[in-house]
Amino acid sequence: MSGFDVAALRREFPILVPGLHYLDNAATAQTPRAVLDALIAHETTHRANVLRGVYRLAEEATAAYHAARVELAGYVNARDPNEVVFTSGTTGAINLVAHGFGAALKPGDEIVISVLEHHSNIVPWQLLRDRAGVVLKALPVTLDGRIELAELPRLIGPRTRLVAVTHASNVTGAVTDVATVVAAARSVGAPVLLDGAQMAPHGPLDVQALGVDFYAFSGHKMFAPNGVGVLWGRAEVLAAMAPFQGGGEMIRRVTLARTEYADPPHRFEAGTPPIAQAVALAAAARWVRGLPAEAVHAHLRRLTERLLDGLAARGRVRVIGPTGLQGRLATVSFAVARVHPHDVCQILDARGVALRGGHHCAQPLMDALDLAGTARASLAPYNDDGDIDAFFAGLDDVLRRFP
Amino acid sequence: MSGFDVAALRREFPILVPGLHYLDNAATAQTPRAVLDALIAHETTHRANVLRGVYRLAEEATAAYHAARVELAGYVNARDPNEVVFTSGTTGAINLVAHGFGAALKPGDEIVISVLEHHSNIVPWQLLRDRAGVVLKALPVTLDGRIELAELPRLIGPRTRLVAVTHASNVTGAVTDVATVVAAARSVGAPVLLDGAQMAPHGPLDVQALGVDFYAFSGHKMFAPNGVGVLWGRAEVLAAMAPFQGGGEMIRRVTLARTEYADPPHRFEAGTPPIAQAVALAAAARWVRGLPAEAVHAHLRRLTERLLDGLAARGRVRVIGPTGLQGRLATVSFAVARVHPHDVCQILDARGVALRGGHHCAQPLMDALDLAGTARASLAPYNDDGDIDAFFAGLDDVLRRFP
Amino acid sequence: MSDDLYQAAILDLARQGAAATRLPHADATATVDNPLCGDRTTVDVTLAGGRIANIGYKTRGCALCQAAAALLATTAIGLDAPAIAVGTAAVTASLQDKGPDPMSPWEGFGIFTPVRRHPSRRSCVLLPFEALAKAFTAASAV
Amino acid sequence: MSDDLYQAAILDLARQGAAATRLPHADATATVDNPLCGDRTTVDVTLAGGRIANIGYKTRGCALCQAAAALLATTAIGLDAPAIAVGTAAVTASLQDKGPDPMSPWEGFGIFTPVRRHPSRRSCVLLPFEALAKAFTAASAV
Ligand SMILES: Cc1ncc(COP(=O)(O)O)c(C=O)c1O
Ligand SMILES: Cc1ncc(COP(=O)(O)O)c(C=O)c1O
């Protein structure tokens, strides 16, 4: 029916035991055997520090780490592997830009974000504002949980130095119309950063076609370990950036008086990097590429439609975000009248349905929508009809218990 | 002879195949099966994002992450688990202090480091100097590769705001006399940061007895994964510190106008933390505690003595660092007249001996000693006499080939 | 599993909590956010002779938080600061794994002991206590 | 394994490299550090008609770096900037896994091809090339 064997896919994930309906993939996706195997293989056969050792293990570790960079460069279609900086995650990547790119900004310079950003794409800019006196402007959100792009002309101007928005919302699932953002930013010569934490797990990207300057994402949301992520940056932009953290690997020459920094990507990778995690992230990228993209897309679309239809059919439930299938991910937030999201989640948990409730690290969005929080179901390719059935059975239980 | 069964210990390390003589433990230590098992067990049974989920997996992940914090707090003898901040490593920990503690410093305030610091304990302070106009002073190094503590009274003064030195040198193996440093710093009311990257793998610590204020170390050097490390900070000092990176988890309340930050340790853990890695680091801490400390100490001491004696017996070889067994780790640097360290390492590699050569991320020390670099053998409990035999056989080959 | 979290007693109290109102002339007011879920409680108090005379509150939170606020608003009347601190400690302890049941006058909070198996929900029950303590301190300082 | 890295030919050249001296009256000088190992080469050049007339150098580096500097100092005499760039590219390529052997006048660098199996050592061979290019540019700019 869905064109690929979801049962077989589930068997690749040791954690997906019968009775577990894992619908919190937007927070952290589960990890397949292939990725764990890559991690363990690295740790048990090539483990060493990278870049400075001449012995066999060190050469192998360095080669594996470099190969991971090449793999991720391919995944985002970078022109050059050196445009890929390994970070600790999306948060680490955005903070890196806020410091490295932000160091050149002057008081009064403007950064445009949106109201529906994750805290990780808000707070680093607030900290920069407090450090450097830049002005932070936020695109509002539409009633159906999208960035209000019609406001771009009003917010973007000659002082705009960066537009930093999410590629897809972790709350509403809305996918941003990047072309419109890029066109507006280009009109004033401002670079664009996309927070790709939610989008990257959905398949290879083309940063060149997107026309952006920075792209950030996390390993743990794309079936890889915690503690690793990627900042892709356009070569020229990275080259002009100041270092962020100081330490080993990121230097060319250190004296106590002054230090010369290495070229990107090393300039931005201070200290021993997350080597095995990068290797595992590369394995995850390969694993995602190995999925039958069309069939997975159709499968997720069908399950998302079941979610949206089923929620719409229940009178006390309101979908927070786009109610249609256009321009959205398989992430669906909703509010149940008179029931707090945590109570929804708790009751579903009793049935093995793992759902997230709360502000989803997007408090300004919650304020804009005047909500304390939402409950959210977010799907991955391994979710199946059984998961959706269990979800609705649990939701009906909620409605029954909280009349 | 050495009081414990080193052959049995070696069997816990899948990477230690016959013929591999891994003597680069100061760069990255190998990881035992118990730690890998803990990592995999977490990823296959409790993987979820932490702190904000109410479902079973999330509760388990949160509990495991908290238990890891408690374990590490025990390992360093912290008064409170909330004094333990998980970071990406030593480098991440020191940069956190340079920003979070450094934010309160004024131009002219002074930070005292030493000439034998790792770049990770130099460059963050240089970047702070460039940002904030603080003055960086460096204790010189003695001829036998120790911090010249006799210079403390000259360098520490009323403007000293922090003394940041290594607990043990990654080049010379010298262990710092912490009590003297702490007494000098206390005399002017300055807190002390210890870079424990090299010391932490050697067994549980007592930060209270040391009397310091910050202690930083890395997972990968203590038999755990990359991508995780610890900053321990005294509660009062952490409480007064500004946040470093912005993002999820580190906030109490975010509005676009302003953000309130969470209490430590969360204030300093922006974004999804390295959860499985922290769990594995806790397993590594337990594993280290499970070793027979006395026997391991005696074993390492005996092997170090073999290294020092054997090097001293070869005329063209000079030990860089303490030549005795007092106040030193099982890390021995040396220089071979007329042979570059990389050539030494390359020739030893052909015999399966993994040795590091170069500046060891300590260029100011190399400059002070007027060396391009050193070759370095650094031992872990699983090293044995066979490793030392192979090392000396290789070294004699070097001497023969480069007459 | 967690079904007994939502027993009738809690749901009744929660409804009471949701319907609660603020005090028009409070001696002091405190608002506390739950950093992890964004829930928020505002508590108003009036004091008489160092004891709580009246409590008003408004909670944007889950059923547990609402129920706890409602129960606290009745239990705390007539208590002084040390008594509230003792009660807070007793209820906090009762929510821990294998914790002791709370004693009089806090025994009503025994309905929350199913939270023992759900550590992430403990802060939901405790949020109103935090707000009350803050309001009490503020009122005493006036 | 890596033994053939240290064949007699390389060791001879390395000794030559270690004994090298600087030029007293250079048209230009450049110093380059190897960021990964801290090695350092300083190269002096004099030019005549856009071609290299004379080279002096001082290298603090490993045998490979010393040997490469020595060989480069003889090979580059009489060459202009484009010829040096071509040679640098050819030697760089020859050090890659399965790379092509370098052609005349760079064929002498064939002794470094064992480096193919030791990627971390490639930069040792290339450091003098980097310094020479930098010195050449500086000299031409005068
Ligand atoms: C003394 C010392 N400090 C700091 C570091 C940096 O540690 P990491 O690279 O794990 O951040 C190291 C290790 O390279 C070290 O030996
Ligand atoms: C849209 C978005 N941005 C940023 C983040 C932060 O990612 P991480 O916590 O992995 O740094 C997340 C995930 O929580 C997210 O969904």
Side-chain angles (χ1 to χ4, degrees):
Chain A
M1 170 161 195
S2 52
F4 81 111
D5 186 351
V6 64
L9 193 73
R10 287 177 81 86
R11 283 193 296 274
E12 294 185 40
F13 289 77
I15 207 169
L16 295 180
V17 293
L20 172 62
H21 303 286
Y22 187 74
L23 298 177
D24 194 20
N25 294 288
T28 283
Q30 296 301 339
T31 191
R33 185 58 74 185
V35 170
L36 291 173
D37 287 349
L39 184 74
I40 295 300
H42 181 86
E43 292 288 51
T44 57
T45 58
H46 311 305
R47 176 171 159 116
N49 214 320
V50 290
L51 292 182
R52 284 166 298 110
V54 306
Y55 54 85
R56 188 181 56 78
L57 280 185
E59 293 267 21
E60 289 168 0
T62 304
Y65 186 59
H66 180 69
R69 202 187 297 282
V70 172
E71 180 74 38
L72 272 298
Y75 191 79
V76 301
N77 194 30
R79 264 178 311 171
D80 189 311
N82 287 332
E83 294 185 329
V84 170
V85 180
F86 284 114
T87 68
S88 57
T90 306
T91 304
I94 296 177
N95 279 275
L96 196 171
V97 177
H99 281 263
F101 180 84
L105 299 189
K106 306 260 171 305
D109 284 350
E110 296 170 2
I111 292 176
V112 175
I113 60 172
S114 89
V115 163
L116 62 51
E117 299 308 312
H118 187 281
H119 293 163
S120 289
N121 196 28
I122 298 175
V123 184
W125 309 116
Q126 293 183 321
L127 290 168
L128 175 62
R129 176 185 63 188
D130 300 346
R131 276 197 308 278
V134 303
V135 175
L136 199 53
K137 300 187 160 184
L139 290 157
V141 62
T142 65
L143 280 181
D144 63 341
R146 297 182 182 280
I147 300 177
E148 179 55 278
L149 297 183
E151 291 286 314
L152 274 168
R154 204 174 57 76
L155 291 195
I156 289 187
R159 292 302 302 264
T160 307
R161 294 290 170 267
L162 181 71
V163 180
V165 292
T166 196
H167 197 174
S169 164
N170 65 313
V171 179
T172 68
V175 174
T176 304
D177 172 6
V178 176
T180 302
V181 174
V182 167
R186 285 284 167 273
S187 75
V188 297
V192 174
L193 176 147
L194 285 187
D195 172 352
Q198 292 300 323
M199 195 52 126
H202 288 275
L205 297 152
D206 188 340
V207 289
Q208 297 186 59
L210 286 168
V212 297
D213 303 90
F214 296 108
Y215 200 94
F217 57 100
S218 297
H220 70 99
K221 294 186 201 277
M222 66 177 266
F223 319 104
N226 294 120
V228 68
V230 165
L231 174 71
W232 168 83
R234 198 178 283 283
E236 314 83 80
V237 185
L238 287 183
M241 258 165 60
F244 171 32
Q245 304 203 40
E249 325 284 9
M250 54 74 78
I251 57 93
R252 181 172 274 272
R253 175 95 190 118
V254 175
T255 67
L256 289 176
R258 62 182 292 277
T259 286
E260 279 170 63
Y261 303 108
D263 291 334
H266 302 295
R267 187 188 303 160
F268 308 113
E269 296 184 353
T272 304
I275 305 162
Q277 290 78 9
V279 168
L281 175 54
R286 268 192 304 278
W287 182 85
V288 171
R289 279 168 180 267
L291 293 175
E294 294 281 310
V296 165
H297 184 73
H299 172 70
L300 285 177
R301 206 179 152 88
R302 191 176 60 76
L303 296 185
T304 307
E305 191 163 17
R306 279 198 63 192
L307 277 178
L308 291 169
D309 289 352
L311 291 169
R314 283 157 177 87
R316 277 167 58 200
V317 180
R318 183 159 62 95
V319 168
I320 309 298
T323 50
L325 285 167
Q326 260 68 52
R328 73 165 304 138
L329 296 181
T331 292
V332 180
S333 267
F334 59 96
V336 182
R338 300 188 301 282
V339 193
H340 187 280
H342 278 168
D343 296 323
V344 173
C345 294
Q346 194 79 58
I347 287 172
L348 269 80
D349 175 52
R351 298 161 168 266
V353 181
L355 211 69
R356 185 151 299 235
H359 56 62
H360 310 291
C361 295
Q363 289 184 338
L365 174 63
M366 295 300 137
D367 290 345
L369 301 174
D370 196 24
L371 289 167
T374 72
R376 179 187 73 186
S378 53
L379 308 181
Y382 43 71
N383 286 122
D384 63 10
D385 284 294
D387 295 335
I388 309 295
D389 295 342
F391 168 75
F392 280 119
L395 185 59
D396 288 332
D397 192 19
V398 170
L399 295 172
R400 200 166 36 73
R401 280 155 169 272
F402 287 81
Chain B
M1 170 160 197
S2 52
F4 81 112
D5 186 350
V6 65
L9 193 73
R10 288 178 81 86
R11 284 193 296 275
E12 295 186 40
F13 290 78
I15 206 168
L16 294 180
V17 293
L20 172 62
H21 305 286
Y22 188 75
L23 298 177
D24 195 19
N25 294 288
T28 284
Q30 296 301 339
T31 191
R33 183 60 73 186
V35 170
L36 290 173
D37 287 349
L39 184 74
I40 295 301
H42 181 86
E43 292 288 51
T44 57
T45 58
H46 310 305
R47 178 172 160 114
N49 214 322
V50 289
L51 292 182
R52 284 166 296 112
V54 305
Y55 55 84
R56 189 181 55 80
L57 280 186
E59 293 267 22
E60 289 168 359
T62 303
Y65 185 59
H66 180 69
R69 203 187 297 281
V70 172
E71 179 74 38
L72 271 299
Y75 192 78
V76 301
N77 194 31
R79 263 178 310 170
D80 189 313
N82 288 332
E83 295 184 328
V84 170
V85 180
F86 284 114
T87 68
S88 58
T90 305
T91 303
I94 296 176
N95 279 275
L96 195 171
V97 178
H99 281 263
F101 180 84
L105 299 190
K106 306 260 170 308
D109 282 350
E110 296 170 2
I111 292 176
V112 176
I113 60 173
S114 89
V115 164
L116 62 49
E117 299 307 311
H118 187 280
H119 292 163
S120 290
N121 197 26
I122 298 174
V123 185
W125 309 116
Q126 293 183 321
L127 290 167
L128 175 63
R129 176 185 64 190
D130 299 347
R131 277 199 306 278
V134 303
V135 175
L136 199 53
K137 299 188 161 183
L139 290 157
V141 62
T142 65
L143 281 181
D144 63 342
R146 297 182 182 278
I147 300 177
E148 178 56 277
L149 297 182
E151 290 287 313
L152 274 169
R154 204 175 56 77
L155 291 195
I156 289 186
R159 293 301 302 264
T160 306
R161 294 291 170 264
L162 181 71
V163 179
V165 293
T166 196
H167 197 174
S169 164
N170 65 314
V171 178
T172 68
V175 174
T176 304
D177 172 5
V178 176
T180 302
V181 174
V182 167
R186 285 283 167 274
S187 76
V188 296
V192 174
L193 176 147
L194 285 188
D195 172 352
Q198 293 299 324
M199 195 52 125
H202 289 276
L205 296 152
D206 188 340
V207 289
Q208 298 185 59
L210 286 168
V212 298
D213 303 90
F214 296 109
Y215 200 93
F217 57 101
S218 298
H220 70 100
K221 294 186 201 278
M222 67 177 267
F223 318 105
N226 293 121
V228 67
V230 165
L231 174 71
W232 167 83
R234 198 178 282 283
E236 315 82 80
V237 185
L238 288 183
M241 257 165 61
F244 171 31
Q245 305 203 41
E249 327 282 12
M250 53 75 77
I251 57 93
R252 181 171 273 271
R253 175 93 190 121
V254 175
T255 66
L256 290 175
R258 63 182 290 278
T259 287
E260 277 171 62
Y261 304 108
D263 290 334
H266 302 295
R267 188 189 302 161
F268 307 113
E269 295 184 353
T272 304
I275 305 162
Q277 290 79 9
V279 168
L281 176 53
R286 267 192 304 278
W287 182 85
V288 171
R289 278 170 180 266
L291 292 175
E294 294 280 310
V296 166
H297 184 74
H299 171 70
L300 285 177
R301 206 178 150 89
R302 192 177 58 76
L303 296 185
T304 307
E305 190 162 19
R306 279 198 62 192
L307 278 178
L308 290 169
D309 288 352
L311 291 169
R314 284 157 177 87
R316 278 167 58 200
V317 180
R318 183 160 63 95
V319 168
I320 309 298
T323 50
L325 285 167
Q326 261 67 50
R328 70 165 306 137
L329 296 181
T331 292
V332 181
S333 268
F334 59 95
V336 182
R338 298 188 302 282
V339 193
H340 188 279
H342 278 168
D343 296 323
V344 173
C345 294
Q346 195 79 60
I347 288 172
L348 269 79
D349 175 52
R351 298 160 167 267
V353 181
L355 212 68
R356 184 150 300 233
H359 56 60
H360 311 292
C361 295
Q363 290 184 338
L365 175 63
M366 295 301 137
D367 290 346
L369 301 173
D370 196 23
L371 290 166
T374 73
R376 178 188 73 186
S378 53
L379 308 181
Y382 43 69
N383 286 122
D384 63 10
D385 283 294
D387 295 334
I388 308 295
D389 295 340
F391 167 76
F392 280 118
L395 184 59
D396 287 332
D397 192 18
V398 170
L399 296 172
R400 202 166 33 72
R401 281 154 168 271
F402 287 80
Chain C
M1 269 170 77
S2 61
D3 283 34
D4 47 5
L5 262 183
Y6 297 102
Q7 350 158 354
I10 287 190
L11 293 183
D12 285 349
L13 276 169
R15 263 187 296 276
Q16 224 173 289
T21 52
R22 305 276 307 269
L23 290 188
H25 304 290
D27 290 338
T29 291
T31 297
V32 169
D33 289 319
N34 185 333
L36 300 181
C37 65
D39 287 353
R40 157 170 290 201
T41 304
T42 300
V43 171
D44 306 312
V45 291
T46 56
L47 299 190
R51 294 171 182 274
I52 291 183
N54 218 340
I55 295 186
Y57 61 97
K58 182 118 198 91
T59 289
R60 193 176 74 176
C62 61
L64 303 181
C65 187
Q66 296 284 16
L71 191 54
L72 180 62
T74 54
T75 314
I77 301 290
L79 299 185
D80 60 9
I84 301 247
V86 166
T88 305
V91 173
T92 304
S94 77
L95 304 179
Q96 305 304 308
D97 194 22
K98 309 201 178 75
D101 287 339
M103 286 195 304
S104 176
W106 304 94
E107 69 277 12
F109 284 88
I111 58 169
F112 293 106
T113 49
V115 167
R116 286 173 187 161
R117 283 186 288 105
H118 303 280
S120 67
R121 306 302 300 280
R122 287 176 195 151
S123 60
C124 309
V125 179
L126 297 172
L127 197 68
F129 285 84
E130 215 188 309
L132 178 61
K134 232 174 129 184
F136 204 118
T137 310
S140 314
V142 175
Chain D
M1 272 170 73
S2 62
D3 284 32
D4 47 7
L5 262 183
Y6 297 102
Q7 350 157 354
I10 287 190
L11 295 183
D12 286 348
L13 276 168
R15 264 187 296 276
Q16 225 174 288
T21 52
R22 305 276 307 269
L23 290 187
H25 304 289
D27 290 338
T29 290
T31 297
V32 168
D33 289 319
N34 185 334
L36 300 181
C37 65
D39 286 355
R40 156 170 291 200
T41 305
T42 300
V43 170
D44 305 312
V45 291
T46 56
L47 299 191
R51 292 169 183 277
I52 292 182
N54 218 341
I55 296 186
Y57 61 96
K58 182 119 198 90
T59 290
R60 194 177 72 176
C62 61
L64 303 181
C65 188
Q66 296 283 14
L71 192 53
L72 180 62
T74 54
T75 313
I77 301 291
L79 299 184
D80 60 9
I84 302 247
V86 166
T88 304
V91 173
T92 304
S94 78
L95 302 179
Q96 305 304 309
D97 195 22
K98 308 201 179 76
D101 287 340
M103 287 194 304
S104 177
W106 303 94
E107 69 277 11
F109 284 88
I111 58 169
F112 292 106
T113 49
V115 167
R116 286 173 189 162
R117 283 185 289 107
H118 303 282
S120 67
R121 306 303 300 279
R122 287 176 195 151
S123 60
C124 308
V125 179
L126 296 172
L127 196 68
F129 285 83
E130 213 188 310
L132 178 61
K134 231 174 132 183
F136 204 118
T137 310
S140 314
V142 175

